[in-house]
């Protein structure tokens, strides 16, 4: 049996499960509650695992992997239920769903056997479990999610959210602080080292002179970019709209490094603009590598500025001449040569 043929059953089962989530087999309409949908999700999970067990073309290990993958995808679907619910009910009065309004859903996750040791083999494990833990905490459903210590569901409910909070420099609650001694030694060390290293890196970042965090001008959002430009009279300004989670944005910044010495020599001001979609701690830690002047906008401010200038995707770039007149605009990075060509018009 060749590798492609051996993996075909797994591909089929994965496709069936995703089809279940987003297409026709079970209509998620106003007549189907979130609880009913999750119960049907569980039924479909059991049906698929039975099909895996009966499949004679899969080895025992492949069956084990397939069942772990199907289970974790099912749990991830519960984590993403608001998105699925919105997709399946768009245009209806039941388009919006908050998991906080349905804490009982987290109890149903145990139907997927989340504490089985083989769940860690699923490629979705490291996304689904931390995500479920944070969402259960937000919904006040930590106890519903947590199973026996130190099983995976217990780790998801208590440990993974604490580590994620350390990454964001978000303080633990008193209850979480009191629970730290209960963490397995390895995970307690991960939490403590993460908390320490992030705070040290953040302090180093904010005291670096390689960049500048600028106060957002206190003006109407519609006039915000003009107010930013007014801070640099008589200078050409290069504006980069980006986000910490945008891979193409980061790649473009690194590709543009070769242009920065000339831009500095020509006194071109480099301005970077992001919004609240970028976690502020992560944003701060990235600034020393990026350099330049940085503005952090609210979502409302971002929406007004991007609407006014037609910013429909990131990265996007605006180039203003020394008189504050828009000289060029790009959606997506046009490449070093094209960017240099437009910049030379500003010299």
């Amino acid at each position: 049996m060749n590798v492609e043929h051996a993996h075909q059953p797994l591909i089929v089962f994965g496709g069936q499960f995703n089809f279940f989530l987003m297409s026709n087999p079970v209509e998620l309409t106003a007549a189907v509650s979130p609880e009913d949908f999750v119960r049907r999700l569980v039924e479909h999970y059991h049906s698929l695992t039975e099909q895996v067990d009966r499949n004679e073309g899969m080895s025992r290990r492949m069956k084990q992997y397939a069942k772990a993958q199907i289970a974790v995808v099912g749990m991830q679907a519960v984590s993403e239920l608001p998105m699925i619910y919105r997709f399946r009910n768009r245009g209806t009065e039941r388009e919006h769903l908050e998991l906080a309004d349905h804490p009982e859903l987290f109890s149903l996750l145990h139907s997927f056997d989340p504490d089985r040791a083989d769940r860690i083999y699923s490629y979705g494990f490291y996304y689904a479990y931390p995500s479920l833990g944070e969402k259960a905490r937000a919904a006040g459903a930590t106890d519903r999610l947590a199973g026996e210590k130190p099983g995976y569901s217990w780790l998801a409910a208590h440990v993974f959210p604490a580590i994620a909070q350390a990454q964001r420099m978000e303080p633990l609650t008193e209850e979480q602080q009191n629970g730290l001694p209960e963490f397995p030694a390895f995970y307690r060390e991960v939490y403590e080292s993460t908390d320490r290293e992030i705070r040290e890196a953040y302090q180093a970042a904010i005291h670096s002179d390689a960049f500048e965090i600028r106060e957002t001008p206190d003006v109407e959002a519609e006039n915000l970019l003009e107010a930013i430009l007014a801070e640099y009279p008589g200078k050409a300004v290069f504006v980069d709209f980006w986000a910490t989670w945008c891979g193409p944005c980061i790649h473009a910044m690194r590709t543009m490094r070769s242009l920065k010495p000339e831009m500095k020599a020509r006194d071109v001001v480099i301005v970077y603009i992001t919004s609240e979609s970028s976690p502020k701690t992560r944003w701060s830690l990235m600034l020393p590598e990026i350099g330049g002047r940085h503005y952090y906008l609210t979502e409302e401010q971002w929406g007004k500025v991007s609407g006014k200038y037609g910013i429909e995707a990131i990265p996007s770039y605006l180039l203003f001449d020394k008189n504050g007149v828009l000289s060029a605009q790009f959606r997506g990075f046009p490449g070093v040569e094209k960017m240099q060509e437009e910049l030379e018009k500003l010299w």
Side-chain angles (χ1 to χ4, degrees):
M1 180 182 294
N2 63 38
V3 173
E4 181 178 355
H5 181 66
H7 283 82
Q8 192 61 33
L10 183 56
I11 295 170
V12 170
F13 291 128
Q16 285 180 349
F17 207 70
N18 286 325
F19 187 61
F20 169 82
L21 295 178
M22 291 303 212
S23 194
N24 268 335
V26 178
E27 279 297 326
L28 184 57
T29 64
V32 179
S33 69
E35 294 80 5
D36 287 338
F37 180 71
V38 174
R39 289 190 184 95
R40 295 187 188 191
L41 194 67
V42 171
E43 291 171 5
H44 195 59
Y45 155 67
H46 287 302
S47 173
L48 284 179
T49 54
E50 289 171 5
Q51 291 181 52
V52 170
D53 285 332
R54 292 195 301 267
N55 190 291
E56 297 180 357
M58 302 175 77
S59 68
R60 179 178 62 83
R61 290 181 181 242
M62 183 178 284
K63 288 181 179 181
Q64 182 183 24
Y65 174 77
K67 289 190 288 187
Q69 182 60 36
I70 292 168
V72 173
V73 169
M75 288 186 280
Q76 187 171 328
V78 177
S79 172
E80 300 298 336
L81 189 56
M83 181 270 293
I84 296 170
Y85 207 71
R86 184 167 60 251
F87 178 84
R88 299 286 293 277
N89 285 282
R90 58 192 182 280
T92 76
E93 62 182 14
R94 301 197 65 175
E95 185 175 357
H96 301 288
L97 170 74
E98 298 293 338
L99 285 177
D101 297 331
H102 300 273
E104 66 280 358
L105 295 180
F106 291 92
S107 299
L108 297 175
L109 287 166
H110 292 279
S111 300
F112 293 99
D113 301 319
D115 292 319
R116 282 182 58 99
D118 58 16
R119 297 306 187 239
I120 200 170
Y121 298 136
S122 165
Y123 67 78
F125 177 89
Y126 292 100
Y127 171 79
Y129 279 72
S131 176
L132 283 167
E134 293 224 68
K135 289 175 181 177
R137 178 172 172 264
T142 296
D143 291 340
R144 292 176 183 266
L145 173 62
E148 294 292 323
K149 176 188 174 184
Y152 293 141
S153 64
W154 188 90
L155 294 174
H158 297 289
V159 175
F160 297 157
I163 294 173
Q165 287 167 248
Q167 292 171 333
R168 299 191 298 266
M169 292 202 316
E170 178 183 321
L172 300 183
T173 65
E174 182 178 354
E175 181 181 2
Q176 288 178 303
Q177 287 282 359
N178 293 336
L180 282 176
E182 299 295 317
F183 285 17
F186 169 77
Y187 286 105
R188 188 165 62 250
E189 183 178 344
V190 169
Y191 169 78
E192 291 172 350
S193 63
T194 300
D195 183 61
R196 181 178 61 255
E197 291 168 9
I198 288 291
R199 291 181 184 280
E200 290 174 354
Y202 179 76
Q203 288 301 316
I206 62 175
H207 290 101
S208 169
D209 59 2
F211 66 95
E212 183 180 357
I213 297 176
R214 304 281 293 187
E215 289 290 330
T216 303
D218 184 16
V219 298
E220 293 293 327
E222 292 86 351
N223 303 317
L224 183 55
L225 188 54
E226 288 76 11
I228 290 174
L229 295 174
E231 296 179 355
Y232 312 104
K235 294 186 177 183
V237 181
F238 171 89
V239 185
D240 183 338
F241 291 84
W242 73 292
T244 58
W245 43 264
C246 171
C249 299
I250 309 305
H251 177 73
M253 289 175 184
R254 291 170 178 164
T255 304
M256 274 197 61
R257 283 175 180 166
S258 61
L259 299 179
K260 285 191 172 182
E262 181 71 7
M263 294 172 73
K264 182 177 181 180
R266 299 287 187 170
D267 207 22
V268 175
V269 177
I270 303 176
V271 166
Y272 296 94
I273 296 179
T274 193
S275 73
E276 292 171 322
S277 72
S278 294
K280 204 159 193 178
T281 301
R282 176 63 178 158
W283 172 71
S284 300
L285 292 173
M286 295 174 70
L287 302 190
E289 178 186 359
I290 299 170
R293 295 169 172 84
H294 294 265
Y295 295 83
Y296 190 89
L297 309 189
T298 66
E299 289 299 327
E300 179 187 1
Q301 290 169 332
W302 176 278
K304 294 291 187 180
V305 172
S306 60
K308 184 172 183 177
Y309 284 89
I311 307 298
E312 298 177 348
I314 54 174
S316 281
Y317 308 92
L318 300 177
L319 280 65
F320 293 89
D321 67 19
K322 295 178 181 180
N323 297 313
V325 176
L326 182 63
S327 172
Q329 179 168 357
F330 299 104
R331 182 172 71 172
F333 184 58
V336 171
E337 290 185 5
K338 180 62 178 177
M339 189 67 82
Q340 183 170 8
E341 177 185 328
E342 291 300 328
L343 285 168
E344 287 176 354
K345 298 175 183 178
L346 305 179
W347 303 153

